[in-house]
Amino acid sequence: MSINAVHVEQAIKAIEKGYQVLCEKPLSINIDISVVDAHKKALRTHPNQKVICAFSRRFDASYREAYQKMFVEYAKTSGGIFLDCSIHDIDLMLRFIGENYKLKSVQAVGVTTVYHRLDSTKDHDSETATIEFQGGRAATLYCSRMMTAGQEDTTEIICERSSLKVNMQGRKNHVEVYDLDSARRELPQHYYERFREAFATEASEFTDCCLDNKPTRVPL
C-alpha cells in the first residue's frame, strides 16, 4: 500500500510497460496527468492490456444484489474529502444512475468541527453534496472523516416504485450483544474489515479478465 499522492505515478509507469494494472484510487489529482489518458495511449501497443481502478464496493455481495434488483435504464495530497472518502459512493452513484447521464448542477457544503488543521488545506472533516443529472435523476452524498464508532458505509437507492437500502444499520456481523447497559450490534472497525470479501472477489475477477482477455467490469 502507498499514499494517494503516488498512485497515479506508479500506475502510469506500470501501464507504460504494458502490465495489467489494478490501481488504487485516485486516477488523477492533477487535471493534466491521468491514468485514463496513459491507458488510452498504451492500448496502441498493448491492445489487450487491462486497467481498472480498485472500486471494491462494486464487488461487495450486498451491493451486487441491490444492483440486480434494480431496473437500470491524507488530506493535503488526497484531493479533498470527496475524492478521498466518497470516491466509492461516487462510483456507485454512476453505477446505479447510469454512466452516460450528464451533470446538470452540483452543490456542496462542508464544515470542520474536529480536525481544524484541515482548514489550511481548504478541506473539511464533514461535507454533503447534491448532484443533479440531466434526465431527471439526482444524488446526495454525505461524507465524514469522523467514524469514531467504526466503519459505516450506507447507501439508499430510491427507485420509481421501491427503494433499496444497503447497510443502513451497520453491523460487523450478526452477533447482538446484550449486557446490563444496552443491546447493540458492533460495527466494523475499519474499511477492510467491512469489505474484505469484496477485495478478494475484485482481485479474482480482475485476474480472470487478464488471463481470458475478457472485458473489465469497471469502465476506466
Side-chain angles (χ1 to χ4, degrees):
M1 297 293 291
S2 54
I3 62 173
N4 283 0
V6 299
H7 289 162
V8 173
E9 178 185 0
Q10 292 172 341
I12 289 177
K13 287 182 177 179
I15 289 168
E16 289 173 345
K17 290 182 179 293
Y19 296 150
Q20 316 283 26
V21 179
L22 191 162
C23 58
E24 261 293 350
K25 54 86 180 171
L27 296 178
S28 175
I29 55 175
N30 182 328
I31 196 169
D32 297 319
I33 303 173
S34 168
V35 170
V36 178
D37 294 335
H39 181 45
K40 288 179 179 178
K41 183 178 179 180
L43 285 173
R44 300 171 191 167
T45 52
H46 307 287
N48 294 325
Q49 185 184 55
K50 308 296 182 186
V51 179
I52 71 169
C53 188
F55 286 118
S56 53
R57 284 199 219 172
R58 288 202 182 206
F59 298 85
D60 177 68
S62 296
Y63 281 111
R64 282 193 162 178
E65 182 174 347
Y67 184 74
Q68 291 167 359
K69 290 182 181 299
M70 241 185 97
F71 291 98
V72 178
E73 275 214 87
Y74 293 12
K76 290 185 179 179
T77 57
S78 70
I81 188 172
F82 285 121
L83 186 61
D84 189 22
C85 300
S86 281
I87 192 69
H88 296 285
D89 301 289
I90 294 169
D91 173 61
L92 288 173
M93 176 182 70
L94 297 175
R95 170 73 163 162
F96 286 106
I97 287 180
E99 307 277 356
N100 297 320
Y101 279 83
K102 301 298 183 182
L103 282 174
K104 184 177 180 181
S105 67
V106 178
Q107 301 175 62
V109 62
V111 295
T112 305
T113 58
V114 176
Y115 302 113
H116 294 287
R117 285 179 295 176
L118 290 171
D119 288 335
S120 64
T121 65
K122 298 182 180 180
D123 200 358
H124 302 101
D125 52 34
S126 299
E127 290 192 354
T128 183
T130 300
I131 303 100
E132 182 184 11
F133 293 85
Q134 293 179 359
R137 300 187 178 195
T140 301
L141 298 173
Y142 300 96
C143 185
S144 176
R145 300 184 189 272
M146 302 182 297
M147 295 181 181
T148 54
Q151 184 71 26
E152 184 178 355
D153 301 278
T154 63
T155 301
E156 181 177 14
I157 306 132
I158 302 173
C159 308
E160 185 177 355
R161 293 185 176 86
S162 64
S163 64
L164 302 167
K165 300 182 180 183
V166 179
N167 203 45
M168 294 300 286
Q169 296 183 11
R171 61 175 65 196
K172 177 179 179 179
N173 49 39
H174 291 282
V175 175
E176 295 184 349
V177 180
Y178 294 82
D179 57 25
L180 293 176
D181 299 316
S182 64
R184 64 186 184 276
R185 293 185 297 270
E186 294 184 343
L187 292 176
Q189 292 305 298
H190 47 76
Y191 189 85
Y192 181 71
E193 189 172 25
R194 165 65 179 90
F195 292 104
R196 181 184 290 111
E197 297 304 319
F199 279 108
T201 302
E202 178 181 47
S204 176
E205 293 192 6
F206 179 65
T207 301
D208 288 342
C209 288
C210 297
L211 294 176
D212 300 331
N213 195 26
K214 299 176 181 177
T216 59
R217 286 182 175 269
V218 185
L220 193 60

